Amino acid sequence: MFFCAILGAIPVLAQDTGSISGVVVDNANGESLPGANVSLAGTTTGTATDLNGRYTLKGLQPGAYDVVFSFVGFQKKTITGVEVEAGETTSLDVTLAEQTAQLDEVIVEAEASRSSEAGLLKQRARAASVSNAIGAEEISRAGAGNVADAMSKVTGASIVEGKYVNVRGLQGRYVQTQLNGSSLPSTDPDGESVALDLFPSNLVENVVTSKSFTPDKPGNFTGGAVNVSTKSFPSEFFFNASISSSYNSAVGLNGTVLQPTGGLESVPSVVGDEIPTLSAAFNDEQAAQRLNDVTSAFGTKIAPVTADAVVNRSGEVSFGNQFTIFDDRAIGVIASASYDRSYSGYTDGKTARFQQTATDVEELQATARFDETQKGTQTTQYGGLFGLSVQPNPQNEIGAQILYNANNEETARFDTGLLPRDQLPGTFQTRTLQTIERSILSGELNGSHQIGEGKRPVRIEWKSSLSEAKRDEPDFRVFSNNFEVSGSDTTYSIVRSVYNPAVSRYFRTLNEQIFANNLSVEFPLSTATVKVGGAYNFKEREYEERRYDHVEDLTSVARYQGDPNRYITDQAGLIGEQNGLNRFGTYIEDQFQLDNNYDAEQTVGAGFAMVDLPIPGLSGVKFIGGARVEYTDQSIVTAADTEGNFDQLDILPSANVVWALQDNMNVRAAYGRTIARPTFREFTPAITFDFIGDYIVRGNPDLDRTTVNNVDLRWEWFVRPGEVVSVSGFFKQMDGPIERTIDPTATSNVTVTYENKDEAEVFGVEIEARKRLDFLHESLQYFQIGGNLTLTQSSVTRDSLEIVAIGGFRDNPSDTRQLQGQSPYIVNLNAGYENPESGTSINVFYNRFGDRLDTVTRNGVDLYEQGRNVVDILASQRLYQGLTFKASVKNLLDENEVISQSFRGNEFVNDIRPLGRSISLGVSYDF
């Protein structure tokens, strides 16, 4: 079928005819009109709109046509003088109004329709819920390479760690992410956030963020439900291709970057289920030989290297076509592929950690201070999409789609400095080499069906998808040591008891699958529209973690002499006998923890009923509401047979009122009750060590889900096509919010765990505006400005044990704090010049977020990511018949990422991470 699509495209390229294509919608509510008749006046040429109101008239000779649109119960409309050119498709979107006694036909000149009548009735204007959207055109204009980049432009949204979305100050479990309406698995081992950087922008039609709950949506979202819609059924042949090259100023043009080298792809097969201990190998030749073989198998490089960073490059291609077979049965096909490789890093970063030693001290004391932090990352991303849609008739459409995206990230880091906490002599060094391989594979079947004719037929929609996300971290290596210089002599040491793990290898794999199924039936009932349906989702995760340490035989002569690679190769394994005992240099010690390996399952069954009806006696006011019932069964079992489980039945009511003050202006009010479930990592009793944060992380199998009451208000005015002004307010009250917190009962190492707090609140305001400037003067017709502002406040109640712990460091500690990841404000501004006649485009984007809580500490002196200013400039120029040159500069101000904490009026910087400017040049071709 893929090759059939290519063959179907060849006649289109060769012929001298053109076509007319568009959408027919209801003027009253913007809903599509399936089965509407579209014909050329005075001819027998015609067609009918499909389930989505789309139509195409093909094979038209160049010239001017009068196009007639008709539908039962609606005024006939004729668009005159529609120009058709050879090899081109004329876009013609039309609205139809209901018949009246005075008027049953409207005639409009084509020139009046070229601004797109349907443009005033966008999806957002007619949506049942409060929402924001960003489409393919705006994504391209912003130069967003993936969905994560695009979401940073959406009102109320920000991106954390370059891939996870935060909506209205909430992230992780509070944000539901879907692909074409189906839930997605996560590659996040510590949460359930979906990495949006896995989705290249060339695959995306639009991204819609719903911010208020309706019963036909999953109940487990609070901040927002983000739905990524991939490119769908094409109305005509298209072909897009682009290539680009860029570099990051922190790395330099053809500069160098720190990179990992020599790692293992997996745990060596010789390891088996058990490794002999050193004591067992002393007198047992077989055990000694086996321990030697295992140690030798780990004899790879463990120190990062500095290597050349070739220029960043990327390329993408996509095409689609619609053609007919078997008596005008429409088939649509779309395919897309992308590839990107980039380098980032820095050599002038800084890292520090601080603690408060007593209640009355005036400043924090450094426990670690690394004045030299180097980091390098090489990222390779590739993927593709293939979709097929079949319309056996205008009342039925069946589609299939498969998507695969992979991201491989190779990172090396080298820190040099002091560990004053442990009073170690000389200088401390630590090296980390990490490879993270992430991928997502999703296959989907879906169908849309219409029963009956007329304006309000019965609609049935269904979809079933199977998605798998994988995360593989093969051979994550850590090597730490001290050295002391005295004159011309340098003494090296590894103090394992102080900075454990000292020399370690981690192997982690995560595999998560979701089988998602949704069914809905929509039918008229008097003046109302009723929608009922259900959903069944089954999610399972397998997580495995192995850790192996390189350890010295303290009775042997082998010692670290400054070369990490030699320490685990030349000095490794059997080195002889001493006093009749087998002696080793360094050897492998298995640190396997049963509780750190687990299998988890989650089953969610749901049913819903909702109604959309005009309120009698109130012109322009409609009510959309109902309830959703969700049953959750979640369980987890570790390799140590430690179990955790909970099951819960939730009834989630929803009420939305939309008042259309005029055709292009709405006032919305909404209430919804939603839930947030604990993630698998939070729910498992696994205990892991965060070597960067220098703390232990422990899960909690006693966690319960969070319930949330949500209230939204919005006024929105769609001034003209592409223009909007809106003001929104929101309030969220949470019972039992799950928060990451310091365990106050821990007696030694700092331990982070998860708890249901008593309650939390989030409230805020969103303001958005987009406007063309031709209202000032006609010479400014191609200029536009826009922006959005989000103001958010939150508070979560600390429990009594946490307050007591903080009270040991300060007087009268507050019993509340803000939610993690929440910024007090987010600002997005943009200004652009778009001239379709010359093909010139210049856009400037500005973004800033306020300081957001990064890490909660034991003494209440929490760590914050400092707000920063980001300016991007993008320009493009059409060169010749679809060929366009593009250039961009991102992060123009080159501000660093900074993590710090404030204490008694002083700022203590924990991390400085230079980001650099990115400069890009490229070309694209569109047909």
Short mmCIF file of all heavy atoms in Angstrom, two decimals, residues 283-327:
data_model
loop_
_atom_site.label_atom_id
_atom_site.label_comp_id
_atom_site.label_asym_id
_atom_site.label_seq_id
_atom_site.Cartn_x
_atom_site.Cartn_y
_atom_site.Cartn_z
N ASN A 283 40.76 -19.74 49.05
CA ASN A 283 41.23 -21.12 49.11
C ASN A 283 40.59 -22.03 48.06
O ASN A 283 40.88 -23.22 48.02
CB ASN A 283 40.92 -21.71 50.50
CG ASN A 283 41.65 -20.98 51.60
OD1 ASN A 283 42.87 -20.92 51.60
ND2 ASN A 283 40.88 -20.41 52.54
N ASP A 284 39.72 -21.49 47.25
CA ASP A 284 39.00 -22.29 46.26
C ASP A 284 39.47 -21.86 44.87
O ASP A 284 39.14 -20.77 44.40
CB ASP A 284 37.49 -22.08 46.42
CG ASP A 284 36.67 -23.01 45.54
OD1 ASP A 284 37.14 -23.38 44.45
OD2 ASP A 284 35.52 -23.33 45.93
N GLU A 285 40.21 -22.74 44.19
CA GLU A 285 40.76 -22.40 42.89
C GLU A 285 39.66 -22.16 41.85
O GLU A 285 39.77 -21.25 41.01
CB GLU A 285 41.68 -23.53 42.40
CG GLU A 285 42.96 -23.67 43.20
CD GLU A 285 43.83 -22.44 43.09
OE1 GLU A 285 43.79 -21.74 42.04
OE2 GLU A 285 44.55 -22.13 44.06
N GLN A 286 38.60 -22.97 41.94
CA GLN A 286 37.51 -22.79 40.97
C GLN A 286 36.82 -21.45 41.18
O GLN A 286 36.52 -20.74 40.22
CB GLN A 286 36.52 -23.94 41.11
CG GLN A 286 35.42 -23.91 40.05
CD GLN A 286 34.50 -25.12 40.12
OE1 GLN A 286 34.70 -26.03 40.94
NE2 GLN A 286 33.48 -25.14 39.28
N ALA A 287 36.57 -21.11 42.45
CA ALA A 287 35.94 -19.84 42.75
C ALA A 287 36.85 -18.69 42.36
O ALA A 287 36.40 -17.65 41.84
CB ALA A 287 35.57 -19.75 44.22
N ALA A 288 38.17 -18.84 42.61
CA ALA A 288 39.12 -17.79 42.27
C ALA A 288 39.16 -17.56 40.76
O ALA A 288 39.20 -16.42 40.29
CB ALA A 288 40.50 -18.16 42.79
N GLN A 289 39.15 -18.65 40.00
CA GLN A 289 39.18 -18.50 38.54
C GLN A 289 37.90 -17.85 38.03
O GLN A 289 37.94 -17.02 37.12
CB GLN A 289 39.38 -19.87 37.90
CG GLN A 289 39.58 -19.81 36.39
CD GLN A 289 40.76 -18.94 35.98
OE1 GLN A 289 41.87 -19.10 36.50
NE2 GLN A 289 40.52 -17.99 35.07
N ARG A 290 36.77 -18.24 38.63
CA ARG A 290 35.51 -17.64 38.20
C ARG A 290 35.47 -16.16 38.53
O ARG A 290 35.04 -15.34 37.73
CB ARG A 290 34.33 -18.37 38.85
CG ARG A 290 32.99 -17.73 38.57
CD ARG A 290 31.83 -18.69 38.73
NE ARG A 290 30.57 -17.96 38.86
CZ ARG A 290 29.99 -17.29 37.87
NH1 ARG A 290 30.57 -17.24 36.69
NH2 ARG A 290 28.85 -16.67 38.06
N LEU A 291 35.92 -15.78 39.73
CA LEU A 291 35.96 -14.37 40.11
C LEU A 291 36.91 -13.60 39.19
O LEU A 291 36.63 -12.46 38.81
CB LEU A 291 36.40 -14.22 41.57
CG LEU A 291 36.44 -12.79 42.12
CD1 LEU A 291 35.09 -12.10 41.98
CD2 LEU A 291 36.89 -12.80 43.58
N ASN A 292 37.99 -14.24 38.81
CA ASN A 292 38.93 -13.60 37.88
C ASN A 292 38.29 -13.39 36.51
O ASN A 292 38.46 -12.34 35.88
CB ASN A 292 40.17 -14.46 37.75
CG ASN A 292 41.20 -13.85 36.80
OD1 ASN A 292 41.85 -12.86 37.12
ND2 ASN A 292 41.34 -14.44 35.61
N ASP A 293 37.54 -14.41 36.03
CA ASP A 293 36.88 -14.29 34.72
C ASP A 293 35.83 -13.17 34.72
O ASP A 293 35.72 -12.42 33.76
CB ASP A 293 36.22 -15.61 34.35
CG ASP A 293 37.24 -16.71 34.08
OD1 ASP A 293 38.42 -16.39 33.84
OD2 ASP A 293 36.84 -17.90 34.11
N VAL A 294 35.07 -13.09 35.82
CA VAL A 294 34.05 -12.04 35.92
C VAL A 294 34.71 -10.67 35.95
O VAL A 294 34.29 -9.74 35.26
CB VAL A 294 33.17 -12.26 37.16
CG1 VAL A 294 32.28 -11.04 37.41
CG2 VAL A 294 32.33 -13.51 37.02
N THR A 295 35.77 -10.55 36.75
CA THR A 295 36.47 -9.27 36.85
C THR A 295 37.06 -8.86 35.50
O THR A 295 36.97 -7.69 35.10
CB THR A 295 37.58 -9.36 37.91
OG1 THR A 295 37.01 -9.70 39.17
CG2 THR A 295 38.31 -8.04 38.03
N SER A 296 37.61 -9.80 34.79
CA SER A 296 38.18 -9.49 33.48
C SER A 296 37.12 -9.04 32.49
O SER A 296 37.37 -8.20 31.62
CB SER A 296 38.92 -10.72 32.92
OG SER A 296 39.99 -11.09 33.77
N ALA A 297 35.91 -9.59 32.63
CA ALA A 297 34.83 -9.22 31.71
C ALA A 297 34.42 -7.76 31.87
O ALA A 297 33.85 -7.17 30.96
CB ALA A 297 33.63 -10.14 31.93
N PHE A 298 34.69 -7.19 33.04
CA PHE A 298 34.38 -5.77 33.28
C PHE A 298 35.58 -4.87 32.98
O PHE A 298 35.56 -3.69 33.32
CB PHE A 298 33.94 -5.56 34.72
CG PHE A 298 32.52 -6.01 35.00
CD1 PHE A 298 32.25 -7.30 35.41
CD2 PHE A 298 31.47 -5.13 34.83
CE1 PHE A 298 30.96 -7.72 35.67
CE2 PHE A 298 30.17 -5.53 35.09
CZ PHE A 298 29.91 -6.84 35.51
N GLY A 299 36.60 -5.40 32.36
CA GLY A 299 37.82 -4.64 32.12
C GLY A 299 37.72 -3.72 30.92
O GLY A 299 38.45 -3.90 29.93
N THR A 300 36.83 -2.76 30.97
CA THR A 300 36.69 -1.78 29.89
C THR A 300 37.10 -0.40 30.42
O THR A 300 37.34 -0.22 31.62
CB THR A 300 35.24 -1.71 29.39
OG1 THR A 300 34.41 -1.21 30.45
CG2 THR A 300 34.75 -3.07 28.96
N LYS A 301 37.14 0.55 29.54
CA LYS A 301 37.50 1.91 29.96
C LYS A 301 36.41 2.50 30.86
O LYS A 301 35.23 2.27 30.65
CB LYS A 301 37.70 2.79 28.74
CG LYS A 301 38.90 2.37 27.88
CD LYS A 301 39.07 3.29 26.69
CE LYS A 301 40.29 2.85 25.86
NZ LYS A 301 40.49 3.73 24.67
N ILE A 302 36.84 3.28 31.82
CA ILE A 302 35.91 3.84 32.79
C ILE A 302 36.09 5.35 32.95
O ILE A 302 35.38 5.98 33.74
CB ILE A 302 36.07 3.13 34.15
CG1 ILE A 302 34.81 3.30 35.00
CG2 ILE A 302 37.32 3.62 34.88
CD1 ILE A 302 34.77 2.41 36.23
N ALA A 303 37.02 5.93 32.21
CA ALA A 303 37.25 7.37 32.26
C ALA A 303 36.77 8.02 30.97
O ALA A 303 36.95 7.47 29.89
CB ALA A 303 38.74 7.67 32.48
N PRO A 304 36.14 9.20 31.05
CA PRO A 304 35.70 9.89 29.83
C PRO A 304 36.88 10.40 29.01
O PRO A 304 38.00 10.54 29.53
CB PRO A 304 34.86 11.05 30.37
CG PRO A 304 35.40 11.31 31.74
CD PRO A 304 35.83 9.98 32.26
N VAL A 305 36.63 10.67 27.75
CA VAL A 305 37.65 11.19 26.86
C VAL A 305 37.14 12.50 26.24
O VAL A 305 35.94 12.75 26.18
CB VAL A 305 38.02 10.20 25.74
CG1 VAL A 305 38.59 8.93 26.34
CG2 VAL A 305 36.80 9.88 24.88
N THR A 306 38.06 13.31 25.79
CA THR A 306 37.70 14.52 25.05
C THR A 306 37.82 14.21 23.56
O THR A 306 38.87 13.78 23.09
CB THR A 306 38.63 15.68 25.42
OG1 THR A 306 38.49 15.95 26.82
CG2 THR A 306 38.28 16.93 24.63
N ALA A 307 36.73 14.40 22.84
CA ALA A 307 36.69 14.04 21.42
C ALA A 307 36.13 15.19 20.60
O ALA A 307 35.50 16.11 21.13
CB ALA A 307 35.83 12.79 21.21
N ASP A 308 36.38 15.15 19.31
CA ASP A 308 35.87 16.18 18.41
C ASP A 308 34.35 16.08 18.32
O ASP A 308 33.79 14.98 18.24
CB ASP A 308 36.47 16.01 17.02
CG ASP A 308 37.97 16.31 16.99
OD1 ASP A 308 38.43 17.06 17.87
OD2 ASP A 308 38.66 15.77 16.10
N ALA A 309 33.71 17.24 18.32
CA ALA A 309 32.27 17.31 18.14
C ALA A 309 31.99 17.86 16.76
O ALA A 309 32.19 19.05 16.51
CB ALA A 309 31.64 18.20 19.21
N VAL A 310 31.61 16.99 15.85
CA VAL A 310 31.29 17.46 14.51
C VAL A 310 30.01 18.29 14.58
O VAL A 310 29.27 18.25 15.55
CB VAL A 310 31.12 16.29 13.52
CG1 VAL A 310 32.42 15.52 13.39
CG2 VAL A 310 30.01 15.35 13.99
N VAL A 311 29.76 19.06 13.56
CA VAL A 311 28.63 19.97 13.59
C VAL A 311 27.32 19.19 13.71
O VAL A 311 27.18 18.08 13.23
CB VAL A 311 28.65 20.83 12.30
CG1 VAL A 311 28.32 19.98 11.08
CG2 VAL A 311 27.71 22.01 12.42
N ASN A 312 26.36 19.77 14.44
CA ASN A 312 25.06 19.14 14.58
C ASN A 312 24.37 19.07 13.21
O ASN A 312 24.51 19.97 12.38
CB ASN A 312 24.17 19.94 15.53
CG ASN A 312 24.78 20.10 16.90
OD1 ASN A 312 25.63 19.30 17.30
ND2 ASN A 312 24.37 21.12 17.63
N ARG A 313 23.57 18.02 12.99
CA ARG A 313 22.86 17.93 11.73
C ARG A 313 21.54 17.20 11.94
O ARG A 313 21.41 16.37 12.85
CB ARG A 313 23.67 17.24 10.64
CG ARG A 313 24.05 15.80 10.94
CD ARG A 313 25.47 15.69 11.40
NE ARG A 313 25.95 14.31 11.41
CZ ARG A 313 26.90 13.91 12.23
NH1 ARG A 313 27.44 14.75 13.10
NH2 ARG A 313 27.33 12.67 12.19
N SER A 314 20.60 17.54 11.09
CA SER A 314 19.28 16.91 11.16
C SER A 314 18.64 16.90 9.79
O SER A 314 18.96 17.72 8.92
CB SER A 314 18.38 17.63 12.16
OG SER A 314 18.07 18.94 11.69
N GLY A 315 17.73 15.97 9.60
CA GLY A 315 16.99 15.87 8.35
C GLY A 315 15.66 15.19 8.59
O GLY A 315 15.52 14.38 9.50
N GLU A 316 14.68 15.57 7.81
CA GLU A 316 13.37 14.95 7.94
C GLU A 316 12.65 15.00 6.60
O GLU A 316 12.90 15.87 5.76
CB GLU A 316 12.53 15.66 9.01
CG GLU A 316 12.41 17.15 8.83
CD GLU A 316 11.82 17.83 10.05
OE1 GLU A 316 12.19 17.47 11.18
OE2 GLU A 316 10.99 18.73 9.85
N VAL A 317 11.78 14.03 6.40
CA VAL A 317 11.03 13.94 5.17
C VAL A 317 9.65 13.37 5.48
O VAL A 317 9.51 12.51 6.36
CB VAL A 317 11.76 13.06 4.12
CG1 VAL A 317 11.94 11.64 4.64
CG2 VAL A 317 11.03 13.07 2.79
N SER A 318 8.63 13.89 4.80
CA SER A 318 7.29 13.36 4.99
C SER A 318 6.49 13.54 3.70
O SER A 318 6.75 14.46 2.92
CB SER A 318 6.58 14.05 6.16
OG SER A 318 6.48 15.44 5.94
N PHE A 319 5.57 12.64 3.47
CA PHE A 319 4.70 12.78 2.32
C PHE A 319 3.38 12.09 2.61
O PHE A 319 3.25 11.25 3.51
CB PHE A 319 5.35 12.22 1.06
CG PHE A 319 5.21 10.74 0.90
CD1 PHE A 319 4.13 10.20 0.22
CD2 PHE A 319 6.16 9.88 1.43
CE1 PHE A 319 4.00 8.83 0.08
CE2 PHE A 319 6.05 8.51 1.29
CZ PHE A 319 4.95 7.97 0.60
N GLY A 320 2.37 12.47 1.85
CA GLY A 320 1.07 11.86 1.99
C GLY A 320 0.28 12.04 0.71
O GLY A 320 0.60 12.88 -0.13
N ASN A 321 -0.77 11.25 0.55
CA ASN A 321 -1.58 11.34 -0.65
C ASN A 321 -2.94 10.72 -0.37
O ASN A 321 -3.10 9.89 0.53
CB ASN A 321 -0.91 10.61 -1.82
CG ASN A 321 -1.52 10.99 -3.16
OD1 ASN A 321 -2.27 11.96 -3.25
ND2 ASN A 321 -1.20 10.22 -4.18
N GLN A 322 -3.91 11.15 -1.13
CA GLN A 322 -5.23 10.53 -1.11
C GLN A 322 -5.58 10.13 -2.53
O GLN A 322 -5.39 10.91 -3.47
CB GLN A 322 -6.28 11.51 -0.58
CG GLN A 322 -7.67 10.91 -0.55
CD GLN A 322 -8.75 11.91 -0.19
OE1 GLN A 322 -9.83 11.89 -0.75
NE2 GLN A 322 -8.45 12.80 0.74
N PHE A 323 -6.05 8.93 -2.70
CA PHE A 323 -6.46 8.48 -4.02
C PHE A 323 -7.67 7.56 -3.88
O PHE A 323 -8.06 7.22 -2.75
CB PHE A 323 -5.31 7.78 -4.76
CG PHE A 323 -4.67 6.67 -3.99
CD1 PHE A 323 -5.02 5.36 -4.23
CD2 PHE A 323 -3.70 6.94 -3.03
CE1 PHE A 323 -4.42 4.33 -3.52
CE2 PHE A 323 -3.10 5.91 -2.33
CZ PHE A 323 -3.46 4.60 -2.57
N THR A 324 -8.27 7.22 -4.95
CA THR A 324 -9.50 6.44 -4.91
C THR A 324 -9.32 5.12 -5.63
O THR A 324 -8.58 4.99 -6.61
CB THR A 324 -10.66 7.21 -5.57
OG1 THR A 324 -10.29 7.55 -6.91
CG2 THR A 324 -10.98 8.48 -4.79
N ILE A 325 -10.02 4.10 -5.11
CA ILE A 325 -10.05 2.78 -5.74
C ILE A 325 -11.48 2.26 -5.63
O ILE A 325 -12.27 2.71 -4.78
CB ILE A 325 -9.07 1.80 -5.06
CG1 ILE A 325 -9.44 1.62 -3.57
CG2 ILE A 325 -7.64 2.27 -5.21
CD1 ILE A 325 -8.64 0.55 -2.88
N PHE A 326 -11.83 1.32 -6.46
CA PHE A 326 -13.12 0.63 -6.37
C PHE A 326 -14.29 1.61 -6.24
O PHE A 326 -14.89 1.76 -5.17
CB PHE A 326 -13.12 -0.36 -5.20
CG PHE A 326 -12.03 -1.37 -5.24
CD1 PHE A 326 -11.20 -1.56 -4.14
CD2 PHE A 326 -11.79 -2.13 -6.38
CE1 PHE A 326 -10.18 -2.48 -4.17
CE2 PHE A 326 -10.77 -3.05 -6.42
CZ PHE A 326 -9.96 -3.22 -5.32
N ASP A 327 -14.56 2.31 -7.29
CA ASP A 327 -15.72 3.19 -7.33
C ASP A 327 -15.65 4.30 -6.28
O ASP A 327 -16.53 4.45 -5.42
CB ASP A 327 -17.02 2.39 -7.13
CG ASP A 327 -17.24 1.38 -8.24
OD1 ASP A 327 -16.87 1.69 -9.39
OD2 ASP A 327 -17.78 0.29 -7.93
#
